[in-house]
Amino acid sequence: GLLRLFFKGTKMWALGQLHTEGRETYVDFKNRVSKGYHFLKEALEGKENAIAFTSGGTIGMILGLVLGLNDEKVIELNWQVRNCSITELSYSKGKFFLRGFNYITHFQENRLITYV
């Protein structure tokens, strides 16, 4: 149905096969997130802790950068991000490391767990 079409369209967007005039391309999105990622790395020098709030697409893209994933895998990972979940990264010597992904322990009820 509609969700399957959305998955397919997102994959096509990531592979450069779908573009709508006036909308951000996947390459532009990746570049924008990459700039934020590098800004965060620089801002963390000499700091112990930081917290950032963002969307699932940005989380998937940042994890793609951290884990060295290709664009197709980034999109697949992005579909696993739960709304309002917590992803934990550690930072040491100029690198991020994945410590935890998609935590939802703060939810008291399963009906609160949603995607997309």
Side-chain angles (χ1 to χ4, degrees):
L2 185 57
L3 193 54
R4 187 176 318 157
L5 182 62
F6 195 52
F7 288 158
K8 183 177 181 179
T10 305
K11 186 175 180 179
M12 289 174 64
W13 174 66
L15 297 174
Q17 300 169 350
L18 179 66
H19 178 66
T20 303
E21 190 64 36
R23 300 286 183 208
E24 186 174 46
T25 67
Y26 181 82
V27 171
D28 291 339
F29 173 67
K30 185 176 183 176
N31 287 336
R32 183 168 54 89
V33 172
S34 184
K35 285 179 187 176
Y37 171 79
H38 292 293
F39 173 84
L40 188 58
K41 282 174 67 172
E42 290 174 17
L44 282 172
E45 286 302 321
K47 306 282 191 288
E48 288 189 28
N49 296 299
I51 189 168
F53 296 88
T54 190
S55 67
T58 302
I59 292 167
M61 183 63 70
I62 288 173
L63 289 179
L65 294 169
V66 169
L67 300 172
L69 302 178
N70 67 34
D71 294 336
E72 190 170 353
K73 292 294 181 190
V74 168
I75 291 298
E76 289 174 9
L77 177 64
N78 184 56
W79 287 115
Q80 303 309 309
V81 179
R82 296 175 183 136
N83 291 326
C84 299
S85 65
I86 297 170
T87 296
E88 184 181 6
L89 301 174
S90 63
Y91 180 79
S92 178
K93 299 176 184 166
K95 289 185 71 176
F96 283 107
F97 301 90
L98 180 60
R99 293 191 78 178
F101 173 66
N102 238 1
Y103 293 149
I104 53 167
T105 56
H106 51 286
F107 287 128
Q108 303 273 323
E109 300 177 31
N110 282 344
R111 69 179 179 81
L112 298 175
I113 301 168
T114 59
Y115 298 82
V116 183

